[in-house]
Amino acid sequence: MAALALGDDALVLSHRLGEWAGHAPVLEEEVALANIALDLLGQARVLLSLAGDEDELAFLREERAFRNVQLVEQPNGDFAHTIARQLYFSTYQHLLYTRLATTDSELAPLAAKAAKEVAYHQDHAEQWTLRLGDGTAESHERMQHGLDALWRYTGELFQPVPGLDIDWQTLREQWTTTVTTVIEKATLTVPEGPQSGAWTAGAGREGLHTESFGRMLAEMQHLHRSHPGASW
Amino acid sequence: MATAHKAPDVARDGAAAAAVVTDITELEAVFDAAVAADERIEPRDWMPDAYRATLVRQIAQHAHSEIIGMQPEANWITRAPSLRRKAILMAKVQDEAGHGLYLYSAAETLGVSRDELLDKLHSGRQKYSSIFNYPTLTWADVGAIGWLVDGAAITNQVPLCRCSYGPYARAMVRVCKEESFHQRQGYELLLALSRGTPEQHAMAQDAVDRWWWPSLMMFGPPDAESSHSEQSMTWKIKRHSNDELRQRFVDICVPQAESLGLTLPDPDLRWNEERGEHDFGPIDWSEFWSVLKGNGPCNEQRLTQRKQAHDEGAWVRDAAAAYAAKHSDHDKDRRPAAPGTPAEATA
């Protein structure tokens, strides 16, 4: 379950970042976003392979069987929205992997390697949060909007994942401290309001997703499903 | 080590420079001798205006092609049929953005800016390779682009590694290494399809049928109609004619198509024992000129997407610039303000 949950997180966010290819605001970001997407896809492949066959799991499961958090499936929106998603998620992933690396979990070796990649993702997200937050009036407003809009998906990050020996409460405190520091340094305001929808509790981990996710899977899985049994 | 063709460096050597020749015919002679001796021309060397202009045009077009060329392939990233293929494709599209960056940097050594060149691309004053105006309709197109389009690009670009202009030649060395890798991946993708189910085989054949002729057009018009060729060859920007490179490409592709188990869509294609090369059928140059003039299947779509990405990203670039202006000097408190700096700029 743990490998599947973390693998789905990485797979789905990688897919969303892949949608940016050819649309980024500046060439350097074409490289950076693709780079992060590739790192995540690499992590997803290792994790899903621990859980079964990577392609069967990615292309032949339906929406209700995916275990990713809802945060990573959120549509890209504008660049600030994407960066807010990256800030929330990469901070979480970095804290989680760093801890996981010290446990005796079978995921520890992967976590140790991935923590290095994720530290880079986190730095990228933080640097852009600062630039957008403390850039122009427009970028400030957009960045604040991205942070606000995605805040309600952050509570789910700290729902315990069965099989992972992690102190989730401490993880949550560290995440909150880190994210707060960056947001405030960026002259932005930490969103208030609930960190989850009223009807959810670890919904993504239980296979309950948001509406855009089904469409994302339809696109991702279409070709593979059109040729049953084919190899590529 | 000083080379024969170094022009006097006025900034470094002001007094001596005054005494040194500024006679243009003499500078030209030094330049021509350097090119003839296969020496590299570097950014600070004197060069004829037309040489500079030709290089700016060619390198910019090359950079633009990398950037526009991301689109037909990125079109399939979200639909790639396996995670391995998806990773390969993402890495490839990322490499293309990187190639665009090297090439814009090489162009900038000639005194133009990336922004200026992008503006010319967006306004249609500079072109990109006509091949990217064709659509990617199936997954197999990703393989056909790798094998044929990248293959044609490599055939064109390997000689550019010896181009007379140093920064361009060095960029090409890096680009060609990665392109060769992409080409092998494209070939391997097609091979998997060709050996797969009948549907997959048909998909691969259809893609090759659609991409073959446009790939041959990538070498440019026939030698007789190529306006820039002769001068570029004299300057050693180009090393081979369009038709020579096209022939070389056909000769490479024929056996590869055979081992792929796919056919090339040309009934006139056959080995010519006498010439030791393949004969091949006539190219539809009317299609080539039409695509080049903006009437290909995707010209409008490609440019619109590029402009849209740029325009929609303006606020992000503005934010980065505004942030940099505010935070560029971390130790500004310890440094006196530059004379004439408005108060707001350092606030």
Side-chain angles (χ1 to χ4, degrees), chain B:
Chain B
M1 190 185 75
T3 48
H5 63 283
K6 296 293 168 197
D9 186 340
V10 177
R12 201 169 45 202
D13 201 9
V20 175
V21 205
T22 48
D23 184 341
I24 204 130
T25 54
E26 198 154 329
L27 289 170
E28 256 166 13
V30 172
F31 172 85
D32 290 344
V35 170
D38 274 332
E39 283 178 37
R40 286 276 163 82
I41 306 301
E42 296 298 339
R44 298 171 66 129
D45 295 338
W46 184 89
M47 62 188 85
D49 288 346
Y51 176 85
R52 187 183 297 273
T54 295
L55 278 167
V56 167
R57 181 179 52 78
Q58 184 172 337
I59 300 173
Q61 174 169 328
H62 196 158
H64 299 333
S65 301
E66 297 284 356
I67 300 311
I68 297 282
M70 294 167 70
Q71 290 184 32
E73 295 181 283
N75 182 37
W76 281 92
I77 286 179
T78 55
R79 292 177 288 170
S82 73
L83 297 187
R84 175 173 167 263
R85 293 290 178 198
K86 187 172 182 159
I88 290 171
L89 184 56
M90 269 187 190
K92 181 180 178 189
V93 173
Q94 185 196 18
D95 281 348
E96 281 157 6
H99 294 173
L101 287 170
Y102 305 156
L103 287 160
Y104 285 121
S105 300
E108 285 186 329
T109 64
L110 292 160
V112 289
S113 73
R114 191 210 298 184
D115 286 347
E116 204 178 323
L117 299 178
L118 281 173
D119 190 49
K120 284 186 174 160
L121 168 66
H122 298 156
S123 60
R125 283 175 292 157
Q126 281 181 344
K127 301 206 177 301
Y128 55 88
S129 177
S130 64
I131 194 79
F132 300 120
N133 292 314
Y134 290 86
T136 46
L137 301 178
T138 73
W139 170 250
D141 290 33
V142 171
I145 288 181
W147 177 44
L148 293 173
V149 175
D150 292 341
I154 293 163
T155 308
N156 261 327
Q157 290 168 15
V158 164
L160 288 173
C161 298
R162 294 185 292 126
C163 158
S164 58
Y165 188 58
Y168 192 28
R170 289 188 289 273
M172 280 303 99
V173 172
R174 296 186 65 177
V175 169
C176 284
K177 276 184 197 159
E178 291 177 350
E179 293 288 5
S180 308
F181 193 59
H182 299 160
Q183 196 215 5
R184 285 216 301 278
Q185 289 169 331
Y187 179 90
E188 196 253 329
L189 190 164
L190 284 180
L191 191 64
L193 294 180
S194 178
R195 291 178 177 172
T197 65
E199 291 78 15
Q200 286 177 304
H201 182 92
M203 193 193 278
Q205 183 62 59
D206 170 61
V208 169
D209 289 348
R210 283 181 289 110
W211 288 92
W212 173 248
W213 292 108
S215 301
L216 292 192
M217 295 176 198
M218 284 176 69
F219 296 92
D223 293 348
E225 290 165 47
S226 178
S227 50
H228 304 292
S229 273
E230 203 180 322
Q231 181 63 75
S232 288
M233 287 178 71
T234 311
W235 279 333
K236 294 190 181 170
I237 296 173
K238 263 181 102 132
R239 297 278 179 162
H240 310 278
S241 80
N242 295 351
D243 288 334
E244 273 170 45
L245 291 169
R246 186 168 12 246
Q247 179 69 55
R248 186 180 295 179
F249 179 67
V250 170
D251 292 333
I252 291 169
C253 286
V254 169
Q256 290 182 347
E258 268 170 38
S259 50
L260 277 172
L262 298 170
T263 58
L264 296 171
D266 179 359
D268 298 329
L269 185 64
R270 61 180 59 84
W271 177 250
N272 182 323
E273 192 65 56
E274 216 168 287
R275 291 201 299 124
E277 292 173 328
H278 291 86
D279 291 335
F280 55 96
I283 289 171
D284 180 359
W285 291 111
S286 65
E287 176 180 319
F288 174 78
W289 293 116
S290 169
V291 174
L292 210 62
K293 283 194 190 103
N295 300 317
C298 298
N299 298 57
E300 176 153 355
Q301 176 188 331
R302 299 285 186 246
L303 209 52
T304 300
Q305 182 182 323
R306 176 88 270 286
K307 281 193 282 198
Q308 199 178 342
H310 188 77
D311 293 347
E312 287 178 1
W315 68 271
V316 177
R317 298 189 299 275
D318 290 347
Y323 180 88
K326 287 184 219 178
H327 298 275
S328 59
D329 45 356
H330 290 297
D331 53 351
K332 63 189 173 201
D333 295 339
R334 280 176 286 136
R335 215 192 301 170
T341 307
E344 304 94 290
T346 50

Side-chain angles (χ1 to χ4, degrees), chain A residues 93-139:
Chain A
Q93 220 187 3
H94 188 224
L95 289 167
L96 178 64
Y97 280 166
T98 307
R99 280 155 174 270
L100 194 53
T102 65
T103 66
D104 56 5
S105 163
E106 63 165 347
L107 306 184
L110 164 102
K113 177 175 179 285
K116 291 178 196 147
E117 295 171 349
V118 172
Y120 161 78
H121 305 173
Q122 188 183 357
D123 184 49
H124 174 264
E126 289 184 358
Q127 292 301 323
W128 270 116
T129 302
L130 294 176
R131 277 155 185 76
L132 299 181
D134 196 13
T136 65
E138 182 183 7
S139 69

Side-chain angles (χ1 to χ4, degrees), chain A residues 51-109:
Chain A
D53 177 90
E54 61 176 44
D55 285 338
E56 271 178 36
L57 288 170
F59 296 103
L60 299 175
R61 270 182 303 160
E62 292 187 15
E63 188 177 335
R64 294 281 282 106
F66 274 81
R67 294 288 176 259
N68 54 283
V69 290
Q70 293 180 353
L71 176 66
V72 295
E73 75 203 31
Q74 296 310 307
N76 289 333
D78 67 7
F79 188 70
H81 199 83
T82 290
I83 291 300
R85 192 181 60 198
Q86 286 301 112
L87 178 72
Y88 290 157
F89 188 72
S90 62
T91 304
Y92 159 78
Q93 220 187 3
H94 188 224
L95 289 167
L96 178 64
Y97 280 166
T98 307
R99 280 155 174 270
L100 194 53
T102 65
T103 66
D104 56 5
S105 163
E106 63 165 347
L107 306 184

